Amino acid sequence: MTHTYNVGIIGVGGVGEVLLKAFQEHPRTNVIAIHDANQAKMQEMSGKYHLPSFPDYHELLANEEIDVVYLAVPPKFHHAIALDIIRSGKHILCEKPLANSVQEAREMLEEAERASVIHGMNFPTIYRPAFRKLQDFVKSRRIGNIQEIELICQFSQWPRPWQQNDWISSREQGGFVKEVFPHYIQMIGMMFGGLAFSHSSITYPEDPSLSEISILAKGTTLGGIPIAVKGTVDDRLAEAITFTVKGDNSAMTLKNWKELWEITGDGQTKEVQLPAENHLALLIDHFLQHLEGKPAVTVTFREGYQVQVVLESLIQIDAVYNGK
């Protein structure tokens, strides 16, 4: 008989609601309680999805019927709440980045491993058909020997129109480097075994509270493949994110999270046809398989900690302030 798991959610903002719906639709999970520090938002989601809500997340953690807690609050609150979740004995799925510092991420990892709870992170792109096909092409050497990895992110505004909140525009917690880059750091690590940056130049606006407006960075995988990164916020540009793995036969570009394009040796570009799949359902499938001790593809707090180390080094190598 297939077991069904009860889920509690702490943080039901934009991304939190996306996963709430995914858990509600999954045949093996039931969302039975929610919490959000924004009481109005919590009541809105409680009414919309007909769910019990708790004004204090400790009350949610005291509910013995809950098996798994999904944590979707701003990064600087991950550490304290995650430790409470772990100490309550519940399994945890956490938003990225894992924490707001390497030290916090290390403490979360150590506590989760000490408590022997199942821990995972919401890195959903690796469950999309586009990434899985890209990974297959790299492994099969269809594109030949890898010559370079390139990430280019451009945004017409930051935060993006659908993502308007105070923390995501802040230098303390937000910016596209902390919000978007962890996905690609994790993907590079997953495909190539790790990476490190040797140079990073970041431009910040004059207001010290606001996040970056551009970055140029260089690094390598642990195997020595060059990595080039460029990111910018410019109202003259349309939003576009391209992640390209260049081989000596051809190149593959993951575009805007879900499209995959092949650039052949003679310069022709063609989109790779992909099946329609529910990547969030697959993420939940793998988390539950991990929980049950079955083979699974999950990003644990250990990988999340490694992403945090690379992310923090990327920000700290060489931050440039130009007052613009």
Side-chain angles (χ1 to χ4, degrees):
M1 184 174 180
T2 303
H3 184 70
T4 300
Y5 294 90
N6 290 329
V7 179
I9 298 180
I10 299 177
V12 288
V15 176
E17 185 181 3
V18 171
L19 263 291
L20 187 160
K21 289 190 287 188
F23 278 118
Q24 288 283 65
E25 293 168 0
H26 196 281
R28 297 191 60 203
T29 54
N30 295 316
V31 179
I32 66 168
I34 62 171
H35 163 82
D36 198 286
N38 182 328
Q39 298 293 299
K41 183 67 174 178
M42 182 178 69
Q43 293 306 321
E44 176 193 346
M45 293 297 103
S46 176
K48 183 176 180 179
Y49 294 100
H50 311 289
L51 294 168
S53 61
F54 294 89
D56 183 338
Y57 75 81
H58 293 94
E59 296 177 68
L60 182 149
L61 296 182
N63 186 333
E64 295 182 356
E65 294 182 358
I66 293 175
D67 304 298
V68 176
V69 176
Y70 167 52
L71 180 59
V73 299
K76 78 173 185 178
F77 301 111
H78 284 190
H79 178 258
I81 300 175
L83 293 185
D84 285 339
I85 294 169
I86 294 164
R87 289 164 184 165
S88 76
K90 302 188 189 306
H91 307 296
I92 178 171
L93 180 69
C94 186
E95 267 305 319
K96 54 85 204 130
L98 183 56
N100 213 37
S101 71
V102 168
Q103 180 179 345
E104 288 182 352
R106 184 187 302 112
E107 290 174 2
M108 290 166 65
L109 168 62
E110 291 173 349
E111 191 70 18
E113 291 186 337
R114 188 180 301 117
S116 297
V117 299
I118 298 302
H119 44 94
M121 296 189 64
N122 181 26
F123 279 102
T125 306
I126 65 170
Y127 302 98
R128 288 187 181 274
F131 173 77
R132 287 153 48 208
K133 181 62 73 174
L134 170 62
Q135 193 175 30
D136 288 345
F137 283 177
V138 170
K139 285 182 177 179
S140 68
R141 303 179 70 84
R142 170 170 170 157
I143 63 176
N145 295 314
I146 309 303
Q147 306 294 305
E148 184 184 25
I149 300 165
E150 178 186 74
L151 173 63
I152 300 177
C153 300
Q154 60 185 47
F155 305 93
S156 58
Q157 68 179 81
W158 189 271
R160 293 165 283 188
W162 56 272
Q163 214 171 20
Q164 297 295 311
N165 59 57
D166 293 336
W167 72 265
I168 210 163
S169 64
S170 72
R171 195 171 304 184
E172 178 189 17
Q173 301 183 77
F176 62 84
V177 172
K178 292 180 180 178
E179 175 67 11
V180 174
F181 281 22
H183 291 278
Y184 295 94
I185 293 171
Q186 187 272 326
M187 282 188 269
I188 294 171
M190 186 174 184
M191 286 196 292
F192 299 102
L195 66 154
F197 285 98
S198 56
H199 172 77
S200 174
S201 178
I202 303 177
T203 303
Y204 290 100
E206 187 174 0
D207 186 335
S209 70
L210 296 179
S211 60
E212 72 282 346
I213 53 177
S214 71
I215 183 172
L216 288 171
K218 292 182 178 180
T220 61
T221 67
L222 295 187
I225 301 169
I227 302 169
V229 172
K230 179 181 180 181
T232 188
V233 180
D234 187 330
D235 60 12
R236 297 168 297 180
L237 301 174
E239 180 174 332
I241 302 173
T242 57
F243 175 67
T244 303
V245 181
K246 302 177 182 179
D248 53 13
N249 291 338
S250 63
M252 304 299 303
T253 294
L254 180 63
K255 182 178 179 182
N256 296 334
W257 310 103
K258 58 186 178 180
E259 298 175 16
L260 186 63
W261 294 79
E262 183 172 16
I263 304 95
T264 60
D266 58 4
Q268 295 187 47
T269 301
K270 61 179 180 179
E271 186 172 6
V272 178
Q273 297 304 304
L274 301 164
E277 293 183 9
N278 186 335
H279 67 294
L280 296 180
L282 191 58
L283 182 155
I284 295 170
D285 284 341
H286 279 274
F287 185 80
L288 298 183
Q289 287 167 207
H290 186 195
L291 196 155
E292 294 170 345
K294 300 174 182 177
V297 177
T298 54
V299 181
T300 68
F301 280 16
R302 181 159 296 279
E303 287 77 35
Y305 167 72
Q306 292 165 348
V307 169
Q308 194 85 39
V309 170
V310 175
L311 181 64
E312 197 158 301
S313 72
L314 183 61
I315 294 169
Q316 293 179 353
I317 289 172
D318 179 20
V320 176
Y321 167 76
N322 71 356
K324 291 183 180 180

